[in-house]
């Protein structure tokens, strides 16, 4: 099964309530494959969703009819919270419906409706990519983001896409190498690692950028824009040269951040987030 899947080059995230669900699209069969662990986490709120899924698999293999579903579960590389691409149990919508039936959760039925809706939306987005952008705007709006924040988030994503396009064409491998360069840029401009920044905001598996303030988004975009333009100016290829460009790009945004902080007396790096119960830093 794994060898027959023609996946998109980039992984995607979708949201059920406040839970991030990793997914990847098979263009050949026009099918979404979702991370089973992420879905288990969304349905159960388990503190150890991997262990929950491991135990559930053992239980289900003993039940009649599940063996056929189990054979359809595939391991695909999805981006882990640490930024690395790791093999993850994934299943299509049909198989997930069967798995969901075995999870006692009041969210089961709403999740089934959500899952069916996600599949339908993908068909619409293929025909009209603008629908995807409009949905992103509406989703962020529902989660309390301002019009200005949404605009900056989307502009930042465009800046990010141009940078990763450059990396892709200049001998940088998607996954670990993308994550390494991103970490260099972030550490350089912000003065903290991605992990520490997420810890400050009280985030776990959440996307850091989705919980950045408008200022944090702007400086992230400045750092990545600067990195790409510097890389282009020296025609950086491979990791050593792109690491140099990443450090230089991050430093430009760092200098701007420090100047703004000196003028305003306020730190750019913030503990603010968009969780229902934000973590308070004392």
């Amino acid at each position: 099964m794994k060898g027959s899947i023609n996946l998109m080059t980039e992984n995607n995230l979708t949201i059920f309530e406040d839970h991030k669900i990793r997914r990847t699209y098979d263009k050949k069969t026009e099918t979404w494959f979702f991370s089973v662990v992420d879905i288990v986490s969304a349905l159960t709120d388990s503190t150890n969703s991997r262990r929950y899924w491991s135990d559930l698999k053992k239980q289900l293999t003993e039940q009649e009819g599940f063996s056929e579903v189990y054979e359809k579960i595939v391991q695909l590389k999805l981006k882990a919270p640490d930024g690395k691409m790791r093999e993850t149990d994934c299943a299509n919508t049909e198989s997930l419906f069967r798995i969901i039936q075995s999870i006692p959760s009041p969210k089961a039925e709403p999740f089934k409706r959500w899952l069916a809706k996600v599949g339908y939306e993908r068909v619409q987005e293929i025909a009209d990519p603008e629908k995807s952008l409009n949905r992103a705007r509406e989703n962020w709006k529902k989660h309390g983001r301002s019009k200005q924040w949404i605009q900056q988030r989307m502009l930042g994503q465009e800046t990010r896409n141009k940078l990763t396009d450059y990396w892709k064409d200049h001998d940088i491998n998607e996954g670990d190498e993308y994550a390494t360069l991103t970490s260099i840029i972030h550490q350089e401009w912000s003065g903290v690692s991605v992990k520490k920044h997420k810890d400050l905001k009280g985030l776990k598996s959440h996307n850091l950028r989705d919980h950045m303030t408008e200022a944090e988004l702007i400086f992230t975009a400045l750092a990545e824009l600067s990195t790409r333009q510097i890389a282009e100016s020296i025609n950086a290829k491979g990791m050593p040269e792109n690491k140099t460009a990443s450090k230089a790009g991050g430093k430009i945004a760092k200098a701007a951040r420090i100047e703004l902080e000196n003028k305003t007396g306020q730190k750019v790096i913030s503990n603010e987030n968009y969780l229902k119960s934000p973590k308070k830093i004392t």
Side-chain angles (χ1 to χ4, degrees), residues 54-72:
S54 178
D55 292 342
L56 183 61
K57 277 195 292 186
K58 293 177 182 178
Q59 172 189 330
L60 293 176
T61 50
E62 299 173 359
Q63 297 180 11
E64 183 179 353
F66 185 75
S67 58
E68 183 180 344
V69 176
Y70 186 76
E71 291 174 0
K72 295 180 181 179

Side-chain angles (χ1 to χ4, degrees), residues 124-231:
Q124 289 183 310
E125 289 165 8
I126 291 172
D128 184 359
E130 187 176 352
K131 289 182 181 294
S132 177
L133 298 177
N134 291 336
R135 271 196 194 95
R137 290 190 186 96
E138 286 304 311
N139 185 62
W140 282 320
K141 187 176 180 180
K142 288 177 183 177
H143 284 77
R145 274 61 160 184
S146 67
K147 182 178 179 180
Q148 292 77 13
W149 186 97
I150 294 171
Q151 181 179 14
Q152 188 54 53
R153 179 69 175 89
M154 299 191 82
L155 286 172
Q157 187 60 51
E158 180 63 22
T159 299
R160 169 71 179 177
N161 291 344
K162 289 179 180 179
L163 175 59
T164 55
D165 285 345
Y166 179 88
W167 287 344
K168 182 179 179 181
D169 294 336
H170 290 80
D171 303 328
I172 301 299
N173 296 319
E174 186 177 359
D176 289 351
E177 292 187 348
Y178 278 28
T180 297
L181 294 177
T182 300
S183 295
I184 290 172
I185 296 169
H186 190 88
Q187 176 75 49
E188 198 63 45
W189 85 257
S190 68
V192 296
S193 67
V194 172
K195 183 180 184 306
K196 287 185 178 180
H197 200 167
K198 291 181 71 172
D199 288 344
L200 178 65
K201 290 180 176 291
L203 307 176
K204 294 181 180 179
S205 60
H206 309 84
N207 185 324
L208 175 59
R209 295 182 194 224
D210 285 347
H211 292 272
M212 283 184 173
T213 63
E214 187 178 350
E216 289 171 323
L217 288 172
I218 289 171
F219 282 103
T220 298
L222 175 59
E224 294 188 333
L225 172 67
S226 301
T227 295
R228 177 173 60 82
Q229 292 190 345
I230 291 169

Side-chain angles (χ1 to χ4, degrees), residues 189 219 253-264 268:
W189 85 257
F219 282 103
K254 176 183 178 180
R257 171 181 65 81
I258 291 173
E259 184 174 357
L260 177 63
E261 290 176 341
N262 288 339
K263 292 288 186 181
T264 64
V268 168

